[in-house]
Amino acid sequence: MATPAARVPPAGDADPLPRTRTAPPVPPVPPVRDVRDGARPGTLGTRVAQRIEDEIVRSGWPVGRNLGSEQRLQDRYGVSKSVLREAVRLVEHHGAARMRRGPGGGLFVTAPDVAPAARAMVTYLDYVGTTVDDLIDARLLLEPRAVVLASERLTEDGVRRLRGLLEQESRRRTEPGIWSQDPVHTALCELSGNPVLLAFTEVLTRLTDRYAHTARRKSKAEAVRNKKAAGRSHAAIVDAVIAGDTGPACAVMTEHLRETAGWLKRNRPGAAGPLPWQLLEAPGAKLSELVAARIQDAVAADGWPVGALLGSEADLMDRYGTSRAVLREAVRLLEHHGVARMRRGPGGGLRVTAPDPAASIDSLALYLGYRRAGAEHLRTVREAIELGALGPVTARRREPEAAGRLEAAAREAPPARFHDALVHLAGNPVLTLFLRILSELRRRQAGADAPPGPAADAQDVREAAHREVVAAVLAGDVSLARHRVRRDLAACPAW
């Protein structure tokens, strides 16, 4: 079944994200959910997995350390073998640790990969109807910022790395098919020194590549021309970054990303609507993960029919040619990410559910914790997202509901929630999800040492600053609104 033109979550779904293409009604601003302290329901195995991961984070992510044998972990957490094994499967799925059997075995801390977080984000963004424009608009906010930072921090090793990537691209231009554009883009983000920019860009470039692979097949000559054009853009960006000419580098990057969006729209069926699901298989994925991904692929291809029955346990074992143990492990992963839930007994089976963004938030926050993302890294990306959101918000200023929501946020919302409201009103689900990840990671970093709330006089000052932002937006003055938001973020002690 074709993916629908827009996804409207069923009534009662948590945290629907708005679309902006046809100026829809403005929904309430979703809260930043506390996924570590019980706000997200889950099995006992899920909670044990979170405790294990929290222990790893508190220990400074000691890769290679043995956290204990299966029996010792059972005793430590006071759970049965089956519950512990469910927890271990989730920890392994997040890439935080891996169980080794036999003498000298145990649960060993590992260096996580961004793939599980990317998969969780794709799940939710597919469900809410993310478009090509949403995807590229997010890249346009983040990657030029990375270009500036990379140029400022560039070393001789960085120069050699970037030029080496250009040489690799040049050698591969005559190869058939579409080749990944990830290396140059992600290398620039890595050279920026900001792990948040890197993680978000890795997710977005992986999505872009997956969507590009669904494009209509072109002739070899046209494919080579497209690769040469992309290569010229990459070379111009790299040359400008090396020379320290950040203005031209950002301009070429912006034009290159806009050309990518145009190419996707011209060559992919249904590109004006939500992006169809693409299977994200991580190298070395377990069989249960691949089965879970195939089931999720089928759900998305059918338009994500919440409540639909996918089949009984026996039906699914037969359909995917797998054992009961593997299927049950796959089902646990699907339940963890909110894709489907198994109901036992007569009339039961695996039924489609509405994904919860908590899985995306939790997975990427965990990964960024490993990458040592600090408050300044978070602030830099949050500023880029908020400043970029002001253009779309200002464009909606004449919509009574949007204007009313903005004024109410400045008047009634806690200071931190006002900035969430700004991004939410922009209507880009990618930006809204990214902002919630930033908020969750900052909350974890603060922990018990979080500063007290602002004094009454300080809060009055911030509320006045928010009213000034709203006044600039309603007047259509985007530059003034950006100035005031940047000033307010700089004054916020939480960032």
Side-chain angles (χ1 to χ4, degrees):
M1 181 186 299
T3 305
R7 173 100 51 226
V8 180
D13 280 0
D15 306 329
L17 297 179
R19 318 300 312 131
T20 57
R21 306 298 172 251
T22 57
V26 182
V29 179
V32 176
R33 184 167 302 167
D34 187 347
V35 299
R36 283 290 183 184
D37 294 333
R40 175 160 61 92
T43 64
L44 179 57
T46 299
R47 295 194 293 274
V48 172
Q50 291 175 350
R51 289 179 62 189
I52 294 172
E53 290 166 356
D54 284 342
E55 179 182 332
I56 292 171
V57 172
R58 285 195 302 270
S59 300
W61 215 293
V63 174
R65 177 183 295 178
N66 189 347
L67 300 177
S69 65
E70 187 173 71
Q71 185 60 55
R72 286 186 60 188
L73 292 170
Q74 281 182 244
D75 295 340
R76 184 184 308 168
Y77 296 107
V79 295
S80 66
K81 181 179 292 186
S82 61
V83 169
L84 180 69
R85 288 185 174 179
E86 179 185 347
V88 167
R89 278 190 289 267
L90 291 175
V91 172
E92 289 180 330
H93 181 62
H94 289 156
R98 186 160 294 278
M99 181 66 78
R100 297 179 191 170
R101 309 293 177 183
L107 187 62
F108 288 84
V109 178
T110 56
D113 184 80
V114 75
R119 189 178 300 111
M121 294 179 71
V122 170
T123 298
Y124 186 67
L125 293 174
D126 174 71
Y127 169 71
V128 297
T130 303
T131 66
V132 169
D133 285 331
D134 294 328
L135 171 64
I136 298 300
D137 285 350
R139 293 187 64 176
L140 285 169
L141 294 181
L142 300 180
E143 294 191 52
R145 182 69 61 102
V147 161
V148 173
L149 293 173
S151 183
E152 292 172 351
R153 302 177 73 257
L154 196 62
T155 64
E156 290 292 329
D157 286 342
V159 171
R160 285 191 291 271
R161 181 180 176 189
L162 290 173
R163 287 182 168 168
L165 290 173
L166 292 178
E167 291 176 5
Q168 291 176 22
E169 277 194 0
S170 179
R171 290 195 299 268
R172 297 178 60 190
R173 280 176 194 159
T174 58
E175 294 179 6
I178 300 170
W179 95 103
S180 172
Q181 295 184 19
D182 284 7
V184 170
H185 291 264
T186 54
L188 287 168
C189 289
E190 187 171 354
L191 292 170
S192 77
N194 188 317
V196 185
L197 276 175
L198 174 61
F200 284 178
T201 302
E202 282 182 323
V203 170
L204 295 175
T205 52
R206 287 178 187 224
L207 289 174
T208 304
D209 283 344
R210 295 294 190 257
Y211 304 146
H213 277 78
T214 66
R216 295 186 180 93
R217 295 293 176 235
K218 297 292 182 179
S219 67
K220 181 177 179 180
E222 185 170 355
V224 170
R225 284 197 299 273
N226 291 335
K227 291 177 182 180
K228 285 183 177 179
R232 286 193 295 271
S233 295
H234 290 166
I237 293 167
V238 168
D239 285 346
V241 166
I242 293 172
D245 297 330
T246 55
C250 290
V252 177
M253 175 68 80
T254 298
E255 182 61 26
H256 173 52
L257 290 174
R258 286 176 175 160
E259 288 173 354
T260 299
W263 186 89
L264 287 172
K265 290 179 179 181
R266 289 192 304 273
N267 294 286
R268 288 189 56 260
L275 297 164
W277 167 259
Q278 290 298 305
L279 185 61
L280 290 176
E281 297 182 3
K286 298 171 64 177
L287 179 58
S288 59
E289 292 177 318
L290 297 181
V291 171
R294 289 181 62 194
I295 294 173
Q296 183 171 326
D297 183 34
V299 168
D302 284 340
W304 219 291
V306 173
L309 178 66
L310 298 175
S312 66
E313 187 173 72
D315 292 336
L316 294 169
M317 288 168 56
D318 182 63
R319 186 181 310 163
Y320 294 101
T322 190
S323 67
R324 177 174 280 106
V326 169
L327 179 68
R328 288 184 174 179
E329 186 172 339
V331 167
R332 289 188 186 97
L333 294 175
L334 294 170
E335 290 177 334
H336 177 67
H337 291 296
V339 177
R341 184 161 297 280
M342 182 66 79
R343 298 178 184 173
R344 309 294 177 183
L350 190 64
R351 291 188 179 273
V352 179
T353 56
D356 190 317
S360 302
I361 296 168
D362 204 25
S363 294
L364 199 53
L366 184 69
Y367 173 74
L368 289 174
Y370 164 73
R371 296 302 299 263
R372 304 290 195 276
E376 182 59 24
H377 299 136
L378 303 179
R379 189 203 63 78
T380 295
V381 178
R382 185 179 181 109
E383 182 181 88
I385 290 173
E386 289 196 31
L387 296 180
L390 285 170
V393 171
T394 303
R396 304 185 67 183
R397 69 188 184 280
R398 300 191 189 283
E399 300 173 24
E401 191 174 0
R405 182 72 65 186
L406 191 60
E407 290 175 325
R411 184 175 59 252
E412 301 167 3
R417 291 286 305 282
F418 172 75
H419 292 268
D420 296 343
L422 278 178
V423 176
H424 187 66
L425 284 169
N428 186 326
V430 179
L431 300 184
T432 300
L433 185 59
F434 280 0
L435 190 70
R436 294 182 65 181
I437 291 168
L438 294 174
S439 297
E440 168 61 15
L441 188 58
R442 184 59 182 143
R443 186 200 66 78
R444 292 190 196 182
Q445 288 182 346
D449 299 325
D457 55 346
Q459 183 158 328
D460 289 343
V461 170
R462 295 207 65 204
E463 289 175 355
H466 296 164
R467 288 193 293 272
E468 290 179 351
V469 172
V470 172
V473 169
L474 296 181
D477 194 336
V478 179
S479 59
L480 181 59
R482 287 176 175 162
H483 166 74
R484 290 174 174 174
V485 165
R486 185 182 289 109
R487 186 179 61 186
D488 186 51
L489 280 175
C492 179
W495 290 95

